[in-house]
Amino acid sequence: KRNLKDRRLHYQEQYLILESISGDLEKTIQRVDEMMHNGVNIKRIMKDVDRLRSDVETLKDKVRKNGSQ
């Protein structure tokens, strides 16, 4: 009976550890997903900034052209 009780305690401990690890894994997956989403947003923002720089340069060229006339 002692051996059976020890096994049950061991299984209960393993179950609790597994539950804890499972929760940690879910949190980690969620964080990775958020980081991937942030990476996509950053790439999009960088493209937008590049486009805006180009637009600003175009406007500056037009202002210079109008000012020289």
Side-chain angles (χ1 to χ4, degrees):
K1 288 188 175 186
R2 176 84 175 138
N3 194 16
L4 182 60
K5 187 175 181 180
D6 288 343
R7 265 197 246 158
R8 283 184 184 159
L9 283 174
H10 184 71
Y11 289 145
Q12 286 175 341
E13 288 175 2
Q14 286 183 335
Y15 179 78
L16 291 174
I17 291 169
L18 182 61
E19 283 291 310
S20 175
I21 291 172
S22 176
D24 292 344
L25 178 60
E26 285 186 31
K27 289 176 189 173
T28 302
I29 290 171
Q30 183 179 2
R31 287 182 187 141
V32 168
D33 287 344
E34 289 170 0
M35 289 186 324
M36 289 173 56
H37 184 69
N38 287 343
V40 169
N41 285 339
I42 289 169
K43 286 179 184 176
R44 172 58 195 245
I45 289 170
M46 289 173 65
K47 284 174 71 176
D48 290 348
V49 167
D50 287 341
R51 191 185 78 236
L52 288 170
R53 278 188 187 137
S54 175
D55 291 349
V56 166
E57 288 302 318
T58 301
L59 287 172
K60 284 166 66 176
D61 290 342
K62 287 182 180 181
V63 167
R64 282 186 205 112
K65 204 184 262 189
N66 286 337
S68 66
Q69 292 179 354

